[in-house]
Amino acid sequence: MHIREMNFTDPFGPLRDGTVEIASAWLPVREPDLTVGPVIDAEPLLLMVAIDHPLALRGKVGMEDLADWVLPYCGPPTPEYWLQTLVPIHTPGGQPIRRGPKVTTFQEVAAAVAAGDAVSLVHGDAAHYYRWPGLRYLHPHDAPTGKWALIWPTAQETDSVRALARAARDTGARTG
């Protein structure tokens, strides 16, 4: 069995081409050929900014602040509904959010943010795994909870996949 985190520029391709049997992906996943299993991680989204960004100097930030800045995005073939989790086109209050530099990897996102070209919503674990010089992670007071779940191709479900999903369900989601 192969287990790995999926690349956000082609989040479901490796499952569909048989490269991997099961993966973790942020929710929502609305692909008719994929089964969404148990949630394995849930924590509020963070806002990644350059260390000298004006938002980094403020005591409090919220989701409405995104209207004033550009968010990097990867575009197609990433499904738009899936992209909306981290790159929304409107704030909760309805203000438009601009999309900026086109990126294909998380490293490109981090580089664009560190250079001051964009800010980016990220899942909470990014602050642990991507401690780059020049980046700061802020906690928007009204950030939605980002959730990750196991997913797999419905038609290729195996005993091993069911066993892993059962173990994840029994263990429960990690929350931050």
Side-chain angles (χ1 to χ4, degrees):
M1 177 184 319
H2 301 279
I3 303 171
R4 72 172 191 179
E5 184 177 318
M6 305 305 288
N7 184 311
F8 62 80
T9 58
D10 185 16
F12 312 121
L15 288 165
R16 290 181 170 134
D17 70 15
T19 305
V20 296
E21 292 178 60
I22 190 167
S24 63
W26 71 68
L27 297 178
V29 173
R30 299 182 190 133
E31 304 298 301
D33 60 325
L34 300 178
T35 295
V36 177
V39 171
I40 57 173
D41 186 41
E43 55 190 313
L45 297 179
L46 300 176
L47 184 62
M48 183 172 60
V49 300
I51 201 157
D52 59 351
H53 192 280
L55 289 175
L57 305 175
R58 292 177 43 187
K60 184 177 178 183
V61 297
M63 296 299 288
E64 290 302 315
D65 291 315
L66 297 178
D68 297 328
W69 310 100
V70 175
L71 298 180
Y73 78 108
C74 54
T78 306
E80 182 62 29
Y81 79 84
W82 196 68
L83 193 60
Q84 285 286 324
T85 302
L86 297 181
V87 192
I89 57 173
H90 292 96
T91 66
Q95 295 182 70
I97 299 172
R98 293 172 291 145
R99 289 184 170 174
K102 189 163 183 170
V103 294
T104 59
T105 66
F106 190 87
Q107 289 73 18
E108 289 177 358
V109 172
V113 170
D117 296 333
V119 300
S120 183
L121 285 171
V122 296
H123 290 275
D125 61 351
H128 301 290
Y129 297 114
Y130 297 98
R131 295 200 173 268
W132 285 25
L135 292 180
R136 182 159 177 209
Y137 295 91
L138 308 177
H139 298 268
H141 65 87
D142 56 350
T145 298
K147 294 180 181 179
W148 286 74
L150 295 178
I151 62 171
W152 60 88
T154 303
Q156 278 76 48
E157 186 174 290
T158 64
D159 288 341
S160 296
V161 167
R162 283 189 289 277
L164 181 59
R166 192 170 35 256
R169 222 175 262 113
D170 292 347
T171 302
R174 182 181 75 87
T175 57

